[in-house]
Amino acid sequence: MSAERLLTSSLRELAAALAEGRIRAEALAEAALERAQSLQERLNAFITLTPESALAAARAADERRRAGNVSLLSGIPLAHKDLFCTRGVRTTAASRMLAEFAPPYDAFVVERLAEAGAVSIGKTNLDEFAMGSANEHSHFGPCRNPWDTSRIAGGSSGGSAAAVAAGIVPVATGTDTGGSVRQPAAMCGVTGIKPSYGRVSRYGIIAYASSLDQAGVIARSAEDCALALTAIEGFDPRDSTSLDRPSEDHAAALAAADGRLDGLRLGLPREFFAVQGLDADVRRAVESAARIYESLGARLVDVSLPRAELAIPAYYVIAPAEASSNLARYDGVRYGYRAPDYVDLDDMYRKTRAQGFGDEVKRRILVGTYVLSHGYYDAYYLQAQKLRRLIAEDYRQAFDSCDLILAPTAPTTAWRLGEKDQDPVQEYLQDIYTIGANLAGLPALSHPCGFDSAGLPIGCQLIGPYLAETRLLLAAHAFQGKTDWHRRLPPL
């Protein structure tokens, strides 16, 4: 099996090739590393590649296979967003502040995938500390979209989405605080799922906004997402928000399905389709996807999310407030970057944080500190938390009349690099369809549903009730059984 074959292979196909001896895990890792290196200058999808440890892990996977001790993911190459701590491997959060940080431990997600035998080839690019919707806010430069390298890959998990879309790896990890798995998945033409809050442990994820952050996965198809999600679920006592419930075999549920969605009630939120700025091509593609779901047996119903437009202001109070608290630890004293020249402790703090953080991170720290300050906490932060509860209640009421919600993932396709640099609010507005699921702690999935007139991928989003990941995956899997958008490859 060649590197080109890796482009179109599903996890099951790769696992079968490994099981039948048609390829070794070591050769698969070599192919993934070679493709990553060959595309790095064009895409900048990776911050760190780890060829030595990847090949060692692949050889170990081959040894275990010879001994008959393997799982389905054994020997499968993958990449981790550079927000997941990896023991002894540089973990930067795409920031100068952590440019040389090598953690002494692995994140829970990294542990689980390593235990399953998957082979990490490196760490992918992202917006600094996961703050952004474009993957332009990285100390290591922007990640570029494989479909058009003059455009963004989406953020913050842009490197992971680009690596999967470009056929470097079949699966990659990501984190989603306000859409950071789903939005880059949509813009790169792949599938991404954000689980319910607490479904996957946050242990070892460098924190942005702790009440919103959730680990997720990006892959080419819903089935591949199901296989990876099953591997990373489970209770973790090190995370106080981790749900004490066993992992579900989502892939088995997909395998048992007949490809029909008879009786599924699919809600179309009228407010989402009335958003000013929704691109006409995106609207047409999502409406076409709704008709395909209808042909599979789903029943389309009209639902309302009356406070949908308030999700953006609520999020951009709550998330920066939590960020200002989480990022207070980066002071140049214990670890990370320290300014080289200073006169006293206060000067060292100021210069370290001014030099170590990028513009977008500093912007959010300032906003967060302001809304938490005396005299403004009640007016801003407390009101935002009340709005969050009301938004969650809107979703709960919507699910009284539907089983899943169907919506665009983003209002536009990928824009050109630098296009929104002078107006950060325009970038924030790209999260209008995704933020609600994070505020409510709900699972959500984005899958490809077409292309715009410029040939750029369009994603459509499914949002489910709490812990309805299998339902989301079943619906997307049925859709992908009838369409081939997820099989399309960028012209690299």
Side-chain angles (χ1 to χ4, degrees), residues 82-92 98 100-107 123 204 206:
D82 202 20
L83 205 65
F84 290 88
C85 286
T86 43
R87 185 176 56 196
V89 176
R90 192 169 65 139
T91 301
T92 70
L98 292 174
E100 301 304 327
F101 174 59
Y105 62 93
D106 283 329
K123 311 293 290 295
I206 295 173

Side-chain angles (χ1 to χ4, degrees), residues 87-159:
R87 185 176 56 196
V89 176
R90 192 169 65 139
T91 301
T92 70
S95 177
R96 184 183 188 185
M97 191 65 81
L98 292 174
E100 301 304 327
F101 174 59
Y105 62 93
D106 283 329
F108 175 84
V109 167
V110 174
E111 287 177 346
R112 292 297 292 260
L113 288 167
E115 289 167 4
V119 175
S120 172
I121 69 163
K123 311 293 290 295
T124 58
N125 204 351
L126 65 147
D127 284 303
E128 184 181 5
F129 285 100
M131 298 183 194
S133 305
N135 209 154
E136 290 186 284
H137 310 292
S138 170
H139 175 63
F140 301 93
C143 177
R144 299 176 182 86
N145 196 310
W147 291 91
D148 181 346
T149 55
S150 71
R151 297 178 182 267
I152 64 154
S156 65
S157 306

Side-chain angles (χ1 to χ4, degrees), residues 129-474:
F129 285 100
M131 298 183 194
S133 305
N135 209 154
E136 290 186 284
H137 310 292
S138 170
H139 175 63
F140 301 93
C143 177
R144 299 176 182 86
N145 196 310
W147 291 91
D148 181 346
T149 55
S150 71
R151 297 178 182 267
I152 64 154
S156 65
S157 306
S160 290
V164 173
I168 296 170
V169 289
V171 63
T173 59
T175 61
D176 194 310
T177 306
S180 290
V181 161
R182 291 161 286 156
Q183 194 242 43
M187 292 186 173
C188 289
V190 291
T191 306
I193 185 168
K194 178 201 88 73
S196 304
Y197 186 78
R199 171 78 88 167
V200 179
S201 171
R202 293 182 297 108
Y203 175 78
I205 297 174
I206 295 173
Y208 163 20
S210 303
S211 74
L212 300 164
D213 296 343
Q214 186 59 180
V217 291
I218 296 173
R220 192 164 299 283
S221 68
E223 183 182 30
D224 286 356
C225 283
L227 290 164
L229 182 59
T230 297
I232 64 174
E233 287 180 4
F235 175 63
D236 180 6
R238 298 167 298 185
D239 176 5
S240 62
T241 64
S242 177
L243 295 175
D244 191 0
R245 57 183 294 126
S247 174
E248 295 183 26
D249 193 341
H250 305 292
L254 267 58
D258 63 2
R260 294 288 301 171
L261 298 174
D262 296 316
L264 181 77
R265 298 171 302 165
L266 207 54
L268 301 177
R270 64 180 75 101
E271 293 83 3
F272 279 20
F273 291 90
V275 167
Q276 186 177 7
L278 176 60
D279 183 84
D281 286 343
V282 173
R283 178 192 290 274
R284 280 193 292 269
V286 176
E287 289 174 346
S288 176
R291 290 192 293 272
I292 292 171
Y293 274 112
E294 196 171 26
S295 74
L296 290 166
R299 180 163 60 90
L300 304 182
V301 298
D302 185 49
V303 298
S304 178
L305 297 171
R307 283 170 277 256
E309 66 179 12
L310 299 176
I312 291 275
Y315 176 88
Y316 281 102
V317 169
I318 294 168
E322 295 186 15
S324 72
S325 176
N326 279 325
L327 271 62
R329 71 193 71 178
Y330 304 110
D331 55 13
V333 175
R334 288 154 288 205
Y335 62 94
Y337 175 79
R338 178 185 293 182
D341 300 308
Y342 50 88
V343 296
D344 57 25
L345 187 61
D346 285 343
D347 190 45
M348 188 267 283
Y349 286 155
R350 284 194 296 268
K351 288 180 177 176
T352 292
R353 291 171 69 79
Q355 296 169 18
F357 291 133
D359 289 344
E360 182 60 29
V361 172
K362 285 187 276 195
R363 183 181 294 119
R364 298 194 191 197
I365 290 173
L366 287 170
V367 170
T369 303
Y370 177 79
V371 300
L372 291 176
S373 62
H374 179 69
Y376 298 100
Y377 178 91
D378 289 348
Y380 294 103
Y381 184 73
L382 190 59
Q383 294 302 315
Q385 291 288 16
K386 290 178 181 178
L387 276 178
R388 179 180 191 170
R389 172 48 50 200
L390 293 172
I391 290 166
E393 178 63 17
D394 286 347
Y395 277 95
R396 189 198 65 75
Q397 291 183 9
F399 287 124
D400 286 341
S401 56
C402 69
D403 301 304
L404 297 175
I405 288 171
L406 175 69
T409 306
T412 70
T413 53
W415 59 90
R416 294 195 181 278
L417 291 163
E419 187 176 319
K420 300 185 188 297
D421 282 358
Q422 302 307 310
D423 189 357
V425 173
Q426 289 303 310
E427 184 177 327
Y428 298 166
L429 290 172
Q430 290 292 317
D431 298 333
I432 191 165
Y433 298 123
T434 53
I435 279 175
N438 297 84
L439 290 170
L442 302 176
L445 176 150
S446 176
H447 65 72
C449 66
F451 291 85
D452 71 2
S453 57
L456 298 169
I458 297 170
C460 104
Q461 181 183 199
L462 295 171
I463 304 170
Y466 195 60
L467 300 179
E469 284 82 358
T470 298
R471 193 185 305 170
L472 287 174
L473 291 161
L474 281 167

